[in-house]
Amino acid sequence: MTDRKPCKVCNFTRQKSYGLVVPSLDDLKIKGCEFLGFSPGEPVTVVLEDDGTIVQDQAYFLCLPSNTKFMLLHEKETWSPGCKMDGGTAWMARDSMVLEADTVDSSSAAAHWWHLAQQLKQDLASIILMSEADLQALVDAPCPELASAMGFEEKKAEDLQETLQGVLDRREEERQSKELLQLYLKAAVKEDQQQEVPSQPSQEGAGDVEVDAVEVDSASGFMSRTLMVLKGKTSPETRLSTEELQMVVTRGTEAMEKVLGWDRRRTSALLHACEAELTGRLQQVQAVQSIRSNTQLDRVQRVEEEGVETPAQGSN
């Protein structure tokens, strides 16, 4: 039986917000519509309240941390970011932020790494779902403040940061291995082409430059950093967060062709890589959750067995 997940729902104006506990994405839609006063059976779209990522997959829903806030949208409603601190005065808040060694005050809640630390505090398996930028933010966070935010001893926070750095290093090693393989394959193909048609490689190179120069659609809905990674980085799927991967896969090949300005073959290859990376991460999370559930079940059975054996020994 699927575990029930505590979460929050709101409407697109964020004026109504409710907490509920549901076992599945479908139940979230049903109960969310009921709480928000939507008509029964009315089609709704579920998105993450903080960044608008569309949530359609049950496995992805289960991998999200507890108390994630969702937004339910009608057919003609669209997600928009909530009110944030004015950019002209944000530097004042950053400069005035003071963090004590044994507590995290309200001003520190605006720090990116603090929100990530809260996710880890709820579920350490969320490391798998984080982007490289998120992992690096936690690695660079002051160790005493990270320990305070997570309720750890400072030594344990240091160990956590070392683990996160190890995750980054492994991703970099995987990326370098892929790059070496791609360079080898590209060199082999170029050598074959030079033997057959000497002028063809230079034409292909010119085509690549022209494709890279295509302007990105400003109405794509992607963050500029995500687009920069997709267009300018090798093995971009290893650099994106799970939410960003989900967004790319959900858009589909045709939409991403327009966003990136690439041809069908190149775009399809990117989507296949993103989908494979997303599937791998979700499988890792499910494996961790399965191990955790089995461990808890073994503990319960052990306690029950000990409880049965103790009275029997007493009667002898």
Side-chain angles (χ1 to χ4, degrees), residues 159-228:
D159 294 340
L160 174 62
Q161 288 182 315
E162 291 180 1
T163 300
L164 297 176
Q165 185 62 56
V167 174
L168 284 171
D169 293 342
R170 284 194 296 275
R171 290 191 185 181
E172 180 63 26
E173 290 173 359
E174 292 174 0
R175 184 162 49 250
Q176 290 178 357
S177 298
K178 290 182 180 179
E179 290 175 2
L180 288 173
L181 179 59
Q182 290 172 355
L183 288 174
Y184 172 77
L185 294 175
K186 188 174 181 180
V189 171
K190 184 178 292 186
E191 183 178 354
D192 293 340
Q193 290 175 343
Q194 286 176 344
Q195 293 176 356
E196 296 176 1
V197 184
S199 61
Q200 188 172 349
S202 61
Q203 293 174 355
E204 288 187 355
D208 290 342
V209 174
E210 184 178 353
V211 169
D212 289 341
V214 175
E215 184 177 358
V216 176
D217 181 10
S218 59
S220 64
F222 285 97
M223 293 187 297
S224 58
R225 189 196 71 83
T226 304
L227 292 175
M228 181 185 68

Side-chain angles (χ1 to χ4, degrees), residues 98-158:
V98 179
L99 298 174
E100 298 296 336
D102 59 347
T103 185
V104 179
D105 62 17
S106 59
S107 63
S108 69
H112 179 53
W113 67 262
W114 188 89
H115 293 288
L116 298 173
Q118 298 309 301
Q119 292 182 23
L120 288 183
K121 188 175 181 180
Q122 293 179 2
D123 186 4
L124 283 174
S126 61
I127 292 175
I128 302 171
L129 307 178
M130 292 183 177
S131 67
E132 289 187 349
D134 293 340
L135 295 173
Q136 191 63 55
L138 288 168
V139 171
D140 295 338
C143 187
E145 295 162 12
L146 179 63
S148 177
M150 299 193 65
F152 286 170
E153 295 180 357
E154 190 168 336
K155 179 61 171 64
K156 189 174 181 180
E158 290 179 1

